Amino acid sequence: MASDDKLRRKKALDMDEVVKMFIDSMKISAGLNTQRVFEAWDKASHAAHYTLNKFYRDGTLFVTISSSMIRNQLYFQQADIIAEMNRILKEDNLFTKDDPRVGYVTKIVLK
């Protein structure tokens, strides 16, 4: 009977579940979320080539842009870029949506 317990199958987990468990156990969700925010910026703004530096804190993304003309264009598109970034993050399976340290983007500061 004891050998039957050892041979019992365990519930199979989806790869998404395994990855989320790994992220939680390693406590890397904040760093991973930050990287996902940076990637969302590159996709939503189409300004990765002009982006010199990115920094994220408390819902605010600080971005240094190399071209004043591009920075000015991005300034007027901020609301659309934020909406697009958050849409990208909502669809991202690796983005931990309930992490209190790094969440969705609420503001962009262009330098």
Side-chain angles (χ1 to χ4, degrees):
M1 190 109 183
S3 63
D4 288 340
D5 290 337
K6 290 181 182 177
L7 296 176
R8 223 177 258 179
R9 290 186 177 202
K10 294 184 180 183
K11 179 184 172 248
L13 298 173
D14 290 335
M15 190 53 117
D16 290 349
E17 292 176 77
V18 173
V19 170
K20 287 179 184 180
M21 288 171 54
F22 176 75
I23 290 170
D24 289 343
S25 69
M26 297 301 290
K27 298 182 186 350
I28 58 173
S29 62
L32 183 62
N33 275 5
T34 301
Q35 291 304 314
R36 306 312 288 171
V37 167
F38 293 164
E39 289 179 21
W41 162 261
D42 291 344
K43 289 178 186 175
S45 70
H46 305 289
H49 180 72
Y50 301 100
T51 302
L52 298 175
N53 195 16
K54 296 173 265 194
F55 178 75
Y56 183 82
R57 176 176 282 164
D58 299 329
T60 303
L61 178 64
F62 300 87
V63 185
T64 304
I65 303 294
S66 63
S67 166
S68 60
M69 190 169 85
I70 299 297
R71 183 174 51 246
N72 195 37
Q73 287 178 328
L74 293 171
Y75 177 79
F76 290 108
Q77 298 173 350
Q78 280 186 28
D80 293 335
I81 293 171
I82 290 171
E84 179 65 11
M85 287 178 67
N86 289 331
R87 185 195 65 74
I88 291 169
L89 293 172
K90 283 178 186 171
E91 294 175 359
D92 189 342
N93 290 333
L94 292 178
F95 186 76
T96 306
K97 290 143 182 71
D98 56 354
D99 190 322
R101 296 167 292 174
V102 179
Y104 293 106
V105 178
T106 57
K107 183 179 176 183
I108 297 174
V109 175
L110 299 169
K111 298 178 183 181

